[in-house]
Amino acid sequence: MADRRGPQTLGQDAEALEEETPQMTTETASRRDFLMLTTSIGLASGASAPVQAQVRDGPAGPIRQAPCALEPQQNLTRNLLELAGLWEFQLDPDGIGDGKDWATKLPAPRLIGVPGSWNDQFEDTRDYTGVAWYQTRTTLPRSWRGQRVVLRVGSAVYHATVWINGHKVGEHQGGHLPFAFDITALADWGHASTITIRVENVAMPTRVPPAGYAVPGHATNFPDINYDYFPYSGLHRAVTLYAVPKIHISDISAVTAFEGADGLVHLRVSASEGFSGAGSAAVGGAKTALSFKGGEATATLRIPAVQAWSPATPHLYPLTVTLGDAAEPTDVYTLEIGVRTIEVKGDQLLLNGQPIHLKGAARHEDFPINGRGLNLPVAVRDIQLLKWIGGNSFRTSHYPYAEETMRLADREGMLVINEIPACKLYFGDSDANIRARLDQCRQDFLELYTRDKNHPSVIMWCLANEPTSNAFVNNAGAKLPLDDAYKANGLAFFQALFGYARTLDKTRPFTLTAMSATEWSWADLSDVLCINRYNGWYSHLGDPGSDGALLGPELDALHARTGKPIMVTEFGADAIAGVHADPPEMWSEEYEAELVSGVVDACASRPFVAGTQVWMLCDIKTAQATGRAGGMNLKGVFTRDRRPKMAAHALRKRWAT
């Protein structure tokens, strides 16, 4: 596996560098030295704290950011109110709403469905990337008095600002992950409360994924983005109000292991208000007392004759944590866990100590009308389609998926490569821009890890998709240089990001997915090498057998050089459903099926290949561009409405039988 000493080295260097900081500037330090300096100091100075929180005082005290480690639930001590439905909505292309008090009342709203993307719900919003306002009203139940009241937003892409009854409570940057604020100080128990969320999704080079650069010789996409999926915007997941006791369970971490026939659950529980006192935990017939000091308690539970979690037997155990007396608990929280281990040993990826081969697809949260908005029937159907072709895995390309999808994966035995939104990173612009993207990537991983760390389905973290070492030009036409400094910037970036991530999770492997132009020194930081290859489509046009033929020797050379397990995480060709050709031609179903089959066969004969995931499960909406018929990426083995193409049958023949 990759050298794990990076975080300690960075931290030690930072202690010495902090003393030198006043004498060192961006002018006196090289670009790479400056980047390493700033990221090292960040690691040493408390990197576990999110950078997202910007909060204000309310009329009755401070508004506090609330933790998002635990998904809200309704039980004996907790209450939950989902705010799905029709909200008021108004575009603000000129950015005037802040100065005209739109947080209190929108002047000319229309109704919009939440959760859901705004793009396909109206004609004038399809390609809109800018500011839009959401507003709804609700009444807090009187029974919630005396509890902490929290507003939680599951996903707002990309930057969100929240008001309650006209009082600004906070902001969050970075879509696809939840954020929450304790709004107890603003609770109005006698009247309806107005909840306003301002959402802004402008493409910027400092954001993740970045925008604002162009590939030489390629036409500009519309909308102008650098990634190959549509920039859907809005409130994509549940918005909820929930209530918890003043002293409550704020986080649970469960790490599992085996000892003989028994399962071990190493438990860490956090409680609010620095709680010191008694509690308990129970799982699989095992029970233990918890002793909290300063809001923290640890314990290990032993499950006799444990049933291990795996794709074949995805057994889940309810883990219940209690604060106070079990008969009259202060707070209770239950989550489902699976007992399993995941590790890299030599050139094998081991699940529960045995080699595992991932078969499946990259996915997208994408469906007509609701766009990237939460669609539970589609999520259920996609898991069934994966099983139909014989798949046991998927990657959350290219951003974290909804919590409901992760729970489905746990229950259905899917192996998940969980990815932050770091798609198409580049390193040829200013130090400040590079540093801003690194800060955002670290925040994204912290939030993702905090949310998903207990899911047995999550077996690997992906920290970037196709970071590029190509030469680019920016929007002003200036060429960004491809040189050793560019490569060094990328290496320093990923050393810092991998190092930080490994301080948070020491139980799962890490990777990034590398395209043909990705610098190998970046990809080599991975525990599992993941490569995306499109011979037969973006090169070797008209030859569907080229991908499998060229891939085999490349896989052998990579294995000989690194000795690591390898996955092919993207491969495929666009196919228009119903278009046929004999012999196969590009855009036909036959061409896609032959190309996909060749890659799967080339990988199946190599035991060091830990998995193949086709690009992609279903066709998706993307920006309008040459080569994107109908504004669609048509590399799905199923259509956007989930009908199988010939490639799906080819995979089913190889994987399901």
Side-chain angles (χ1 to χ4, degrees):
M1 294 180 67
D3 189 347
R4 301 281 181 136
R5 294 174 294 174
Q8 290 85 351
T9 303
L10 284 171
Q12 292 164 1
D13 291 347
E15 293 176 3
L17 286 168
E18 283 185 279
E19 297 179 357
E20 300 175 18
T21 302
Q23 290 77 40
M24 185 175 288
T25 69
T26 54
E27 287 75 28
T28 59
S30 71
R31 172 174 287 183
R32 182 176 185 275
D33 290 339
F34 178 69
L35 181 61
M36 289 299 290
L37 167 66
T38 55
T39 54
S40 297
I41 292 175
L43 285 169
S45 59
S48 61
V51 298
Q52 68 177 36
Q54 296 181 29
V55 300
R56 298 169 66 95
D57 285 350
I63 306 301
R64 302 189 301 178
Q65 185 186 8
C68 286
L70 301 178
E71 190 176 0
Q73 66 179 219
Q74 180 79 39
N75 61 27
L76 293 174
T77 62
R78 295 171 172 239
N79 289 287
L80 174 64
L81 176 62
E82 293 195 4
L83 300 178
L86 294 174
W87 287 49
E88 293 185 341
F89 175 77
Q90 187 162 348
L91 298 181
D92 187 9
D94 298 321
I96 64 174
D98 289 279
K100 293 184 177 293
D101 199 25
W102 287 15
T104 301
K105 183 176 176 58
L106 299 179
R110 47 186 161 173
L111 296 181
I112 192 170
V114 174
S117 300
W118 69 51
N119 305 79
D120 291 343
Q121 297 192 48
F122 309 102
E123 288 188 6
D124 62 337
T125 57
R126 190 194 68 175
D127 301 311
Y128 179 77
T129 54
V131 175
W133 295 72
Y134 290 80
Q135 196 166 86
T136 192
R137 294 166 185 83
T138 192
T139 302
L140 296 176
R142 187 177 298 173
S143 61
W144 289 17
R145 276 191 164 182
Q147 292 191 302
R148 291 283 183 191
V149 180
V150 179
L151 176 70
R152 188 181 197 257
V153 181
S155 172
V157 179
Y158 181 85
H159 182 275
T161 309
V162 180
W163 290 263
I164 305 294
N165 295 325
H167 297 283
K168 183 178 177 181
V169 299
E171 302 178 30
H172 179 265
Q173 178 160 291
H176 316 292
L177 287 161
F179 58 96
F181 298 103
D182 182 336
I183 62 167
T184 309
L186 294 175
D188 187 345
W189 300 103
H191 304 89
S193 294
T194 299
I195 299 169
T196 305
I197 305 176
R198 177 189 186 271
V199 180
E200 176 260 296
N201 189 28
V202 177
M204 298 182 185
T206 53
R207 291 186 165 174
V208 177
Y213 63 99
V215 182
H218 286 244
T220 301
N221 296 339
F222 179 78
D224 187 7
I225 54 175
N226 298 103
Y227 44 89
D228 195 12
Y229 50 96
F230 197 77
Y232 281 116
S233 307
L235 298 178
H236 284 157
R237 298 176 192 153
V239 181
T240 57
L241 282 166
Y242 68 92
V244 293
K246 181 178 180 181
I247 298 176
H248 59 270
I249 300 160
S250 57
D251 194 8
I252 299 171
S253 297
V255 176
T256 62
F258 297 99
E259 192 171 89
D262 297 345
L264 302 179
V265 181
H266 302 295
L267 190 64
R268 177 179 294 275
V269 182
S270 299
S272 66
E273 311 297 326
F275 171 69
S276 294
S280 61
V283 61
K287 296 181 180 180
T288 188
L290 296 176
S291 178
F292 286 86
K293 293 182 179 179
E296 300 290 330
T298 59
T300 297
L301 294 93
R302 178 181 294 270
I303 304 174
V306 70
Q307 297 184 60
W309 185 95
S310 72
T313 57
H315 185 81
L316 297 174
Y317 288 93
L319 168 65
T320 299
V321 177
T322 302
L323 291 186
D325 192 322
E328 291 290 336
T330 301
D331 190 26
V332 177
Y333 193 90
T334 299
L335 59 83
E336 291 184 321
I337 65 168
V339 180
R340 64 104 181 98
T341 59
I342 188 76
E343 63 178 321
V344 171
K345 190 172 184 179
D347 61 6
Q348 300 290 300
L349 180 64
L350 305 181
L351 178 70
N352 302 329
Q354 299 298 318
I356 186 72
H357 184 84
L358 278 66
K359 302 173 291 183
R363 292 181 62 244
H364 264 284
E365 292 181 324
D366 175 279
F367 203 69
I369 309 304
N370 62 274
R372 194 150 292 125
L374 179 64
N375 191 323
L376 294 179
V378 170
V380 170
R381 182 60 175 159
D382 283 358
I383 298 296
Q384 299 310 306
L385 294 179
L386 279 165
K387 288 189 167 186
W388 185 81
I389 62 175
N392 62 6
S393 68
F394 63 87
R395 176 164 61 108
T396 69
S397 52
H398 295 298
Y399 41 80
Y401 289 176
E403 289 158 296
E404 292 86 347
T405 300
M406 307 313 295
R407 283 193 273 114
L408 267 174
D410 293 341
R411 185 67 62 88
E412 297 292 337
M414 285 285 137
L415 305 169
V416 179
I417 301 175
N418 212 350
E419 186 168 290
I420 64 172
C423 185
K424 299 292 186 181
L425 294 173
Y426 67 108
F427 308 98
D429 52 350
S430 70
D431 298 318
N433 284 2
I434 297 172
R435 188 166 60 251
R437 291 193 292 269
L438 177 59
D439 288 344
Q440 186 64 50
C441 285
R442 289 169 57 192
Q443 174 188 321
D444 288 338
F445 182 72
L446 173 62
E447 294 178 8
L448 179 61
Y449 168 75
T450 300
R451 192 195 74 169
D452 287 353
K453 62 182 179 292
N454 292 316
H455 287 286
S457 58
V458 177
I459 63 163
M460 197 182 313
W461 304 111
C462 183
L463 299 182
N465 175 70
E466 296 186 348
T468 180
S469 51
N470 278 339
F472 291 105
V473 296
N474 62 21
N475 287 342
K479 189 170 183 179
L480 303 175
L482 172 61
D483 53 21
D484 290 341
Y486 184 104
K487 297 176 183 179
N489 287 344
L491 180 59
F493 183 101
F494 285 117
Q495 285 174 333
L497 182 57
F498 272 83
Y500 170 65
R502 283 174 170 139
T503 65
L504 295 180
D505 193 347
K506 297 177 173 60
T507 70
R508 292 176 176 90
F510 287 84
T511 191
L512 62 78
T513 60
M515 63 178 179
S516 57
T518 300
E519 186 68 23
W520 277 116
S521 64
W522 309 346
D524 284 345
L525 296 170
S526 302
D527 301 311
V528 178
L529 291 177
C530 291
I531 62 173
N532 301 341
R533 293 296 182 266
Y534 288 100
N535 299 305
W537 191 255
Y538 296 119
S539 67
H540 302 80
L541 278 63
D543 183 359
S546 62
D547 207 356
L550 295 171
L551 187 61
E554 182 183 10
L555 292 171
D556 293 337
L558 279 176
H559 179 246
R561 183 176 68 82
T562 68
K564 295 180 179 182
I566 302 170
M567 284 189 61
V568 183
T569 39
E570 289 186 26
F571 58 96
D574 285 73
I576 300 173
V579 172
H580 298 282
D582 183 22
E585 292 181 339
M586 295 178 71
W587 300 95
S588 70
E589 290 192 40
E590 286 83 0
Y591 192 96
E592 179 188 33
E594 184 174 328
L595 189 152
V596 164
S597 299
V599 172
V600 171
D601 292 344
C603 293
S605 63
R606 290 169 168 82
F608 57 83
V609 175
T612 46
Q613 292 181 331
V614 67
W615 182 266
M616 61 194 122
L617 187 66
C618 302
D619 295 341
I620 63 166
K621 176 72 175 169
T622 188
Q624 298 178 59
T626 55
R628 289 291 172 258
M632 297 286 293
N633 187 317
L634 298 170
K635 294 186 182 67
V637 297
F638 294 89
T639 63
R640 199 182 188 200
D641 60 354
R642 276 50 182 174
R643 292 177 290 118
K645 302 180 191 176
M646 290 181 66
H649 290 280
L651 290 174
R652 177 175 168 82
K653 179 180 178 180
R654 284 161 172 78
W655 287 346
T657 58

